[in-house]
Amino acid sequence: YASDLALLERPRAWLNDHCVLFWQQVLERERFAQLGGRAIWLQPAAAFCLQFLEPTELLVDSPGNVFRALAAAQLVLVPLVSGADAEQGGGAHWTLLAAHRAEPDAMLVFDSANSGIGAEAH
């Protein structure tokens, strides 16, 4: 979209979910394609919605359930937005949560603004 491209042209502009998704797809499909199903890249819109679900709502038993793939992946990458608002849509700042299954508690939070979402992510 033209409005998404315009964000990239402005110095220090905040990226929206479309920009985050595009870069995520470049990484997933081109840069790290060799990882295949060992790495799961949760899309920004899905991650946003998950923030508002109760844990019991995540237990859907269906063949296409993304959580089956998440459970099998060695690396899970989740873009999180601080200040997420279900009513208004959107949030304040994107952060990346990386969870590696080799270490049970190995979760890293990459947050360029030190927004504090790391505590929420864990």
Side-chain angles (χ1 to χ4, degrees):
Y1 302 113
S3 60
D4 300 328
L5 291 174
L7 290 174
L8 300 175
E9 295 172 348
R10 292 193 339 237
R12 303 187 57 86
W14 293 102
L15 300 179
N16 64 16
D17 59 331
H18 294 144
C19 295
V20 171
L21 176 61
F22 173 76
W23 184 241
Q24 182 183 45
Q25 289 175 334
V26 168
L27 293 173
E28 178 182 11
R29 296 174 185 174
E30 296 179 19
R31 177 74 185 213
F32 298 107
Q34 75 277 8
L35 294 176
R38 294 177 307 185
I40 296 291
W41 306 70
L42 203 58
Q43 293 186 359
F48 179 82
C49 292
L50 288 175
Q51 292 180 32
F52 302 103
L53 294 177
E54 295 296 324
T56 55
E57 295 176 291
L58 302 176
L59 302 174
V60 177
D61 190 23
S62 67
N65 187 342
V66 69
F67 299 105
R68 292 182 193 272
L70 286 172
Q74 292 177 355
L75 177 63
V76 179
L77 299 154
V78 183
L80 300 172
V81 66
S82 63
D85 185 336
E87 297 295 322
Q88 300 292 319
H93 172 71
W94 287 102
T95 301
L96 180 66
L97 169 69
H100 195 277
R101 301 276 181 190
E103 298 289 329
D105 294 321
M107 281 201 263
L108 299 173
V109 176
F110 299 93
D111 183 355
S112 62
N114 198 22
S115 66
I117 198 169
E120 293 176 38
H122 285 282

